[in-house]
């Protein structure tokens, strides 16, 4: 037997017991004739003691142990003279009798400590060592606990977890598919699912009533911090429900997770906001409501006074940063630089301080009287000491998005985005379609199976761009943690939707015929939602990137640098698949 | 709100309540001036009543409802005059006030009943209708319950579920990989995991100590009834353990599943049998021990009497079928035909009946005296009324496998393979290697990471084919439901293993360098096991094929006939992946 206890288990009540432990050498130190070793496993750290006077040979062997050696010891539990209140085993130590080296270890390329000296690249290459760090492992432990709580909640409500296939058909609508050549069906390809969307809808047609799955999803997109080529969804679908039923069910799940995993009781119903209000007041479909700074539109107040930037703008809007009138010229210049960065793209920034006496001191004082500036101040409800920041532009939506970036930056600068405070929001009434410049056609904002709002259905024929959908997103602290919709369950309406999206009937049939056909055999009204598991874990763990809650993540080039994947494959594999690789001139 | 109750919920205590139900029309019948409709959902069936005299218009609309229409009704719960004791809602019926057709339905291509009239092909094409059948849905409900119990058991023992990636590197050792071309890394491919084997070992190097995952695995193999291109493993790994620890842990899981899902208490420890005994006595590494018919070898008894078939055979062995002396000549001829089928390949069958007076009457009486035949009878411990069946051949293993097929066939014919009786067995001490005729080299019988038995390690240099492994399979009713091994945790031993398997150091490095490298940084002793989820569900549900416990299975050509996948993809997709499809002359 390799151990009688783990390294996190022994307490003062175990004193004098003969025990066996196995684990890794965390650190070692000599003091007088004694050698102390911290032995580590997943469960904790226990101090081992070797006494030169009692057993010189054993102590000498202990002195030769390197960091991360794997050892097994037997010994007696002893009460520590100087206790360590920081760890649960801190009252005891082990007087070692026998030492068995189970495996040696090279010196790790970075220190296995909470604050490691290893950079991102080296930690990813040696991910198996990085995962030894408490800070990383605890994220994965949280992930494990979250899936337990998710399943507990959904099972209690009668949801059935159903595994849907990973090898399905390719559907060009949406993001880019990963494809898998089929050997048995030469020249044909499977695709990996971007989500189990159509399959879960088929399960509703099957009468499964309440389905869920913690499902791997795949998108071949260019990557960034919160995206991975494979990610995990808590995918859910319900029959005989309206939007309100789904929102209640999954708001309940969110509250259950907050309570069980973060100890946060969220008693009130979550706020709700229409998509158009979210865009109008926050310039984002996922506003961070941990702080205010709601947008105020100033077109009525500030146009027509000869300031051509504003006079020619389609949109003038601003935010009021409480107490930020202390911002120096240098800080304001930095904010101006911030909004002018190419990825934000504003032309400039207008600011106004509210002085102690209530007067307004702005960067555009030469164009506006104090009376107009006071009107502006009133519009914001600004107080002495506040700072007003204003952007303007030709394109209303673009300018709002710029103002959103400024608002988030100010929230961060003013310390208003506390990772331990959580503000949850449902964004509802999304538009059904959005115009794609690239494709030159309307695209489904959620997906082509989303149900239009009943009252907007007539607009499908006359003004499809104005149609709103029964679609909803949950946003926590400015992160979209999930979303869903009521689905179309009527074959004719689904066919019409494909038509508006520019599918020929043949293309719709080829790609989604199975679904439209299924709808002809008695499809119930249904709808659902998917939560992003990676995002929820990141949010609860306070991580900046979903990568840190994934055991073996990929880098921005989609590579697993530890496995060195992807890689070239054998010619025989290509031959069996009837494939030839032909590199383009400019690729690589 | 679509419903106040489900169709499985109402009882006599609900009489007089106003309720709303939604569901599918299961069947409809007219009696006198009344129309009765069975309304179905996942939870049950409730009888609806429409009375022509009370509401002629409503009743007429009810009469027009077709099978599988989706409807919503409101009405009053009423006590039934003639109760139906077969269903939990059988005491009540609903006197309907309002009827709302939520969706119409074409006539299904087969009946949605427990015993359907639909053949396999049509049911697969319309799998979403097939899944409406209780018989199919209940398999998936069992699957859901099994994953709950698996997780409950493992979580209680401190196992952490960790998701490992689906896009990994290709490793030609083992079965054929499915590969995924990478757009961002032109000319390179990911592979889908055949199992998370190396990744779970890395998690042990990371100190995760106890890992599990209910993981999708992928093998591009030719298919048969108990194989699918994607299947699901309950994948587990533990550190600081010996074989005995793992066997105890997962025998405990098996007992937990039997108890919670089948109500079967398995008090005794499972039987254990060495691989060599399993082959010797049952001709199989997964013997079905629900019945006896242990092989008896007859070389010593039956050679040298001038029967050239036996005299020239390397192996002569038989089974004793209790009470089967009643087999007619026709039945015996059919058994002879059975063993001569090409997929079994025996040359012929020798049989011997034990008569009521104890004499033996055999098909080879002209070669053997009654004294020799009595000796043979004694070897089997056969009694009057028994039938002895004997095969012989040049190749010991091949003949044993033929005899295994005969034994299983006799078990079936004699009704000894009751699906509600479960006999569990650990097969242990597998050989480390097996000779591959195809490859002309030793192959790992389990996989290259399996630890040889400590006492057999010296044989690695002298007689590798004789080396046994710390490997074990669990077999229930002749089905291998899982298996595993203690792994190598020493980089040098792992390198040696690759050498014996014919890997050049370069090839070993290219394919498994990450693992051998990881072993240099303090790998703990570890081992694990994987259970086949599909097989466990099939076993518990009494299914002949794992297909019936998979929501959307593929056929023997790896096709999903419902989705019509795989399929051709767009040229633009191929271009982005730098791929050209070139069909071979003889393909398709």
């Amino acid at each position: 037997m390799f151990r009688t206890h783990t390294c996190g288990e022994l307490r003062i009540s175990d004193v004098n017991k003969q025990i066996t432990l196995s684990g890794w050498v965390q650190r070692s130190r000599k003091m007088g004739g004694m050698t102390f070793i911290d032995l580590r496993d997943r469960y904790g750290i226990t101090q081992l003691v070797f006494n030169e006077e009692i057993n010189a040979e054993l102590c000498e062997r202990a002195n030769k142990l390197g960091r991360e050696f794997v050892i097994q010891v037997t010994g007696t539990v002893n009460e520590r003279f100087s206790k360590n209140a920081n760890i649960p085993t801190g009252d005891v130590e082990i007087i070692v009798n026998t030492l068995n080296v189970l495996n040696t270890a090279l010196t790790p390329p970075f220190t296995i400590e909470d604050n490691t000296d290893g950079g991102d690249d080296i930690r990813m290459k040696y991910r198996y060592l990085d995962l030894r760090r408490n800070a990383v492992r605890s994220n994965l432990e949280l992930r494990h606990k979250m899936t337990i709580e998710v399943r507990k909640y959904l099972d209690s409500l009668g949801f059935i977890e159903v595994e849907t296939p990973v090898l399905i058909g390719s559907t060009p609508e949406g993001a880019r598919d990963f494809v898998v050549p089929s050997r048995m069906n030469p020249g044909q390809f499977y695709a990996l699912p971007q989500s189990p969307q159509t399959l879960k809808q088929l399960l509703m047609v099957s009468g499964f009533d309440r389905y869920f799955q913690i499902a791997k999803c795949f998108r071949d997109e260019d990557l960034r911090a919160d995206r991975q080529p494979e990610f995990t969804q808590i995918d859910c679908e319900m029959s005989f429900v309206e939007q309100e039923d789904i929102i209640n069910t999954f708001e309940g799940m969110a509250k259950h997770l907050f309570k069980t995993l973060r100890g946060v009781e969220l008693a009130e119903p979550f706020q709700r906001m229409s998509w158009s209000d979210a865009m109008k007041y926050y310039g984002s479909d996922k506003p961070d409501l941990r702080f205010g700074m709601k947008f105020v539109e100033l077109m009525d107040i500030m146009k027509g006074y000869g300031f051509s930037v504003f006079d020619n703008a389609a949109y003038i809007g601003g935010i009021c940063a409480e107490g930020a009138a202390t911002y120096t010229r240098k800080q304001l210049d930095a904010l101006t630089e911030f909004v002018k960065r190419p990825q934000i793209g504003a032309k400039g920034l207008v600011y106004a301080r509210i002085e102690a006496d209530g007067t307004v001191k702005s960067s555009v004082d030469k164009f506006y009287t104090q009376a107009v500036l006071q009107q502006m101040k009133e519009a914001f409800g600004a107080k002495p000491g506040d700072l007003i920041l204003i952007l303007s532009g030709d394109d209303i939506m673009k300018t709002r998005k710029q103002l959103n970036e400024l608002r988030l930056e100010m929230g961060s600068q003013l310390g208003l985005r506390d990772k331990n405070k959580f503000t949850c929001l449902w964004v509802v009434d999304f538009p059904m379609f959005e115009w794609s410049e690239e494709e030159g056609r309307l695209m489904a904002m959620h997906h082509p199976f989303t149900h239009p709002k009943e009252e907007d259905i007539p607009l499908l024929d006359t003004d499809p761009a104005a149609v709103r959908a029964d679609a909803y997103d949950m946003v926590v602290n400015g992160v979209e943690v999930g979303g869903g919709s009521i689905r179309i369950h009527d074959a004719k309406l689904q066919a019409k939707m494909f038509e508006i999206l520019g599918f020929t009937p043949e293309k719709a049939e080829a790609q989604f015929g199975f679904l439209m056909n299924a709808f002809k055999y008695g499809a119930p009204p249904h709808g659902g939602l998917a939560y992003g598991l990676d995002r929820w874990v990141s949010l609860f763990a306070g991580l900046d990137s979903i990568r840190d809650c994934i055991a073996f993540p990929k880098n921005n080039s989609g590579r697993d640098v530890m496995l060195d994947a992807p890689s070239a494959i054998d010619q025989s594999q290509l031959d069996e698949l009837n494939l030839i690789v032909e590199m383009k001139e400019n690729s690589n």
Side-chain angles (χ1 to χ4, degrees), chain A:
Chain A
M1 194 197 295
F2 279 103
R3 62 187 174 197
T4 55
H5 296 76
T6 70
C7 295
E9 203 173 346
L10 293 168
R11 298 288 182 276
I12 195 80
S13 56
D14 297 305
V15 164
N16 292 328
K17 278 187 190 159
Q18 291 294 309
I19 57 89
T20 304
L21 297 182
S22 291
W24 286 262
V25 173
Q26 174 77 19
R27 68 178 68 80
S28 168
R29 62 192 186 285
K30 289 172 75 167
M31 251 172 67
M34 315 279 271
T35 296
F36 297 93
I37 285 179
D38 282 351
L39 190 67
R40 185 197 72 227
D41 65 13
R42 183 185 117 198
Y43 312 95
I45 283 181
T46 301
Q47 178 167 292
L48 311 179
V49 186
F50 300 81
N51 190 326
E52 201 173 65
E53 283 183 26
I54 296 175
N55 190 333
E57 184 267 342
L58 189 68
C59 195
E60 196 181 330
R61 286 178 56 218
N63 289 336
K64 286 185 183 149
L65 296 173
R67 280 195 173 217
E68 304 302 321
F69 273 43
V70 187
I71 62 170
Q72 180 190 35
V73 296
T74 58
T76 312
V77 183
N78 188 44
E79 183 168 358
R80 261 165 90 158
F81 181 71
S82 57
K83 297 184 178 166
N84 178 351
N86 296 324
I87 54 173
T89 60
D91 290 347
V92 298
E93 61 190 7
I94 310 302
I95 311 293
V96 176
N97 310 323
T98 66
L99 164 65
N100 182 13
V101 176
L102 297 173
N103 220 335
T104 59
L106 298 179
T107 304
F110 51 88
T111 54
I112 313 292
E113 306 276 359
D114 285 0
N115 292 311
T116 181
D117 56 359
D120 258 16
D121 291 350
I122 193 87
R123 290 194 296 113
M124 283 302 131
K125 183 165 165 59
Y126 295 89
R127 182 65 165 174
Y128 45 86
L129 298 179
D130 198 33
L131 287 169
R132 281 188 194 164
R133 296 167 54 231
N134 288 326
V136 183
R137 199 194 52 243
S138 65
N139 296 337
L140 292 170
E141 285 174 344
L142 173 63
R143 188 180 180 107
H144 166 64
K145 283 186 201 133
M146 188 175 286
T147 60
I148 289 182
E149 292 303 334
V150 164
R151 289 191 166 99
K152 200 182 283 178
Y153 180 82
L154 291 172
D155 186 52
S156 77
L157 294 179
F159 283 80
I160 299 179
E161 186 163 22
V162 179
E163 284 179 70
T164 56
V166 171
L167 297 171
I168 63 168
S170 184
T171 56
E173 185 74 6
R176 206 183 278 107
D177 283 326
F178 281 106
V179 296
V180 182
S182 166
R183 180 182 55 87
M184 295 177 78
N185 301 273
Q188 301 190 333
F189 293 75
Y190 302 100
L192 305 181
Q194 295 182 27
S195 85
Q197 182 61 37
T198 52
L199 294 163
K200 70 177 174 177
Q201 291 192 245
L202 290 178
L203 288 173
M204 293 304 105
V205 176
S206 299
F208 271 63
D209 206 78
R210 297 183 160 204
Y211 143 95
F212 84 101
Q213 185 181 193
I214 299 187
K216 265 288 171 72
C217 303
F218 305 86
R219 286 181 200 170
D220 185 11
E221 288 176 339
D222 298 328
L223 306 175
R224 47 179 209 230
D226 64 341
R227 277 208 195 140
Q228 283 276 307
E230 49 183 301
F231 57 96
T232 305
Q233 277 187 358
I234 305 166
D235 190 52
C236 307
E237 197 79 3
M238 304 168 80
S239 289
F240 301 116
V241 288
E242 289 156 351
Q243 177 169 311
E244 200 60 27
D245 300 305
I246 295 178
I247 284 184
N248 286 337
T249 303
F250 294 100
E251 185 166 318
M253 190 207 268
K255 288 179 175 177
H256 177 79
L257 297 180
F258 272 107
K259 183 176 168 182
T260 53
L261 301 173
R262 288 283 321 208
V264 175
E265 290 267 8
L266 300 172
E268 299 298 311
F270 292 177
Q271 298 177 60
R272 297 199 194 174
M273 191 182 291
S274 71
W275 177 87
S276 60
D277 277 358
M279 297 310 295
K280 183 177 169 76
Y281 295 117
Y282 300 95
S284 168
D285 57 3
K286 45 184 181 188
D288 184 347
L289 296 191
R290 279 175 297 185
F291 64 102
M293 297 196 211
K294 203 168 161 178
F295 295 180
V296 172
E297 294 186 356
L298 301 168
M299 286 82 87
D300 290 347
I301 298 174
M302 301 196 79
K303 276 192 164 212
Y305 293 95
F307 179 41
S308 64
V309 173
F310 281 7
D311 287 351
N312 298 327
Y315 180 87
I316 313 166
I319 55 175
C320 174
E322 259 186 80
T326 54
Y327 263 50
T328 62
R329 178 63 195 241
K330 198 175 159 195
Q331 284 174 299
L332 290 166
D333 285 348
L335 283 182
T336 306
E337 286 313 304
F338 174 82
V339 298
K340 286 167 98 173
R341 286 157 58 179
Q343 58 270 49
I344 298 183
K347 294 256 163 56
L349 174 66
V350 168
Y351 57 86
R353 290 195 190 84
I354 318 298
E355 306 285 347
D357 63 359
T359 57
V360 177
K361 185 86 193 67
S362 87
S363 59
V364 288
D365 275 1
K366 61 177 164 180
F367 298 107
Y368 296 98
T369 62
Q370 189 61 218
V372 175
L373 294 174
Q374 286 296 323
Q375 248 188 295
M376 179 197 75
K377 183 182 90 173
E378 294 309 317
F380 283 100
K383 304 177 308 296
D386 291 351
L387 175 70
I388 290 169
L389 299 168
I390 304 173
L391 294 182
S392 64
D394 298 337
D395 182 312
I396 298 177
M397 276 300 178
K398 272 190 190 158
T399 314
R400 282 174 173 164
K401 286 176 185 172
Q402 293 161 358
L403 193 54
N404 165 55
E405 297 291 340
L406 179 63
R407 174 178 176 272
L408 292 176
E409 175 63 20
M410 287 306 293
S412 295
Q413 289 194 10
L414 299 175
L416 302 173
R417 303 177 76 186
D418 177 359
K419 283 186 175 176
N420 290 309
K421 180 183 169 184
F422 297 99
T423 310
C424 304
L425 166 74
W426 288 103
V427 177
V428 296
D429 299 349
F430 275 78
M432 186 73 218
F433 306 103
E434 59 188 340
W435 180 258
S436 163
E437 291 295 340
E438 198 182 329
E439 301 256 334
R441 64 173 174 106
L442 289 177
M443 305 274 282
M445 192 172 241
H446 266 65
H447 52 58
F449 316 109
T450 305
H451 201 285
K453 285 209 165 293
E454 208 62 41
E455 62 266 36
D456 290 356
I457 287 182
L459 294 174
L460 284 173
D461 293 316
T462 55
D463 185 9
V467 173
R468 292 165 308 154
D470 282 331
Y472 32 83
D473 276 359
M474 187 187 283
V475 175
V476 181
N477 292 2
V479 176
E480 184 223 312
V481 293
S485 62
I486 296 295
R487 326 299 184 185
I488 297 167
H489 64 279
D490 178 71
K492 282 191 203 118
L493 183 57
Q494 188 63 67
K496 175 170 213 137
M497 201 58 62
F498 284 129
E499 191 191 319
I500 294 171
L501 291 169
F503 282 60
T504 61
E506 294 71 31
K507 191 178 164 198
E509 172 60 31
Q511 280 178 29
F512 297 109
F514 63 94
L515 189 70
M516 289 193 289
N517 210 27
F519 284 174
K520 293 174 186 159
Y521 289 95
H526 63 285
L529 171 143
Y531 276 144
L533 177 65
D534 311 284
R535 290 195 183 165
W536 275 100
V537 179
S538 300
L539 190 76
F540 277 20
L543 306 176
D544 293 320
S545 163
I546 61 168
R547 247 172 239 179
D548 295 323
C549 71
I550 293 173
F552 300 105
K554 293 184 177 60
N555 72 10
N556 274 349
S557 313
R559 294 199 69 78
D560 184 320
V561 293
M562 179 189 71
L563 297 177
D564 195 23
S567 61
I569 58 174
D570 291 351
Q571 186 61 43
S572 62
Q573 286 176 284
L574 290 170
D575 290 345
E576 279 195 313
L577 298 170
N578 300 283
L579 287 182
I580 295 171
V581 172
E582 189 177 71
M583 305 292 270
K584 285 192 216 78
E585 293 292 316
N586 57 352
S587 61
N588 197 10

